[in-house]
Amino acid sequence: MLKSLLVKDYMTADHLAFNPEMDVLTAVHQLLEHHLTGAPVVDAAGHLVGFFSEKDGLRVALNASYYEQPGGPVGQYMTRELKTLDASSSMADAIELFVANHFHCYPVLSEGRLVGQLSRRDALKALEKLW
């Protein structure tokens, strides 16, 4: 039954996204404000170019403590090596990725374009429907 559930039906479509030029402190504030562990980073054309996470935000704080200069663009701190999910993937495949990796959420693509993101919480909600 889990194989029949699709990522597109459980992902968050109205996701927060950053651009690489955005001030990193603004991005950290938005993650906190929206209670998110991370958000995709897209270029001006809407293509996924990275992901900015709480861990990346902590790197900002660490740099600030050493160099006394917090800030810079999101692109300087974001993670560029990404794992993504396709919107038509099964939730079973998505859950396997969550179990195998340390990521809290994945950007979701459809035809190469960012359409949302799937979090561990979203995956648990899908499982809950099966109980």
Side-chain angles (χ1 to χ4, degrees):
M1 174 97 175
L2 187 57
K3 282 268 188 203
S4 67
L5 302 179
L6 301 179
V7 167
K8 67 181 177 182
D9 297 323
Y10 294 93
M11 70 179 194
T12 302
D14 59 344
H15 58 87
L16 177 67
F18 302 129
N19 68 61
E21 295 80 30
M22 174 186 263
D23 179 70
V24 73
L25 298 178
T26 301
V28 168
H29 175 73
Q30 287 186 9
L31 287 180
L32 293 171
E33 181 180 322
H34 294 278
H35 306 284
L36 295 173
T37 60
V41 181
V42 295
D43 63 16
H47 297 105
L48 182 66
V49 296
F51 196 85
F52 185 77
S53 68
E54 291 172 319
K55 183 177 180 181
D56 299 321
L58 291 173
R59 210 172 8 190
V60 173
L62 195 56
N63 282 350
S65 70
Y66 284 124
Y67 304 112
E68 297 181 9
Q69 292 183 342
V74 166
Q76 180 179 332
Y77 294 94
M78 70 183 184
T79 301
R80 294 176 189 278
E81 293 179 29
L82 303 175
K83 290 188 185 257
T84 62
L85 292 168
D86 190 272
S88 62
S89 297
S90 76
M91 285 302 296
D93 292 340
I95 291 169
E96 285 181 18
L97 274 178
F98 280 120
V99 171
N101 296 286
H102 67 278
F103 301 117
H104 293 258
C105 57
Y106 289 98
V108 178
L109 306 178
S110 179
E111 299 178 12
R113 306 277 302 168
L114 180 68
V115 294
Q117 70 181 36
L118 186 79
S119 69
R120 289 178 180 174
R121 183 173 305 263
D122 297 327
L124 287 173
K125 287 178 185 176
L127 286 174
E128 184 178 46
K129 292 194 180 213
L130 298 176
W131 300 331

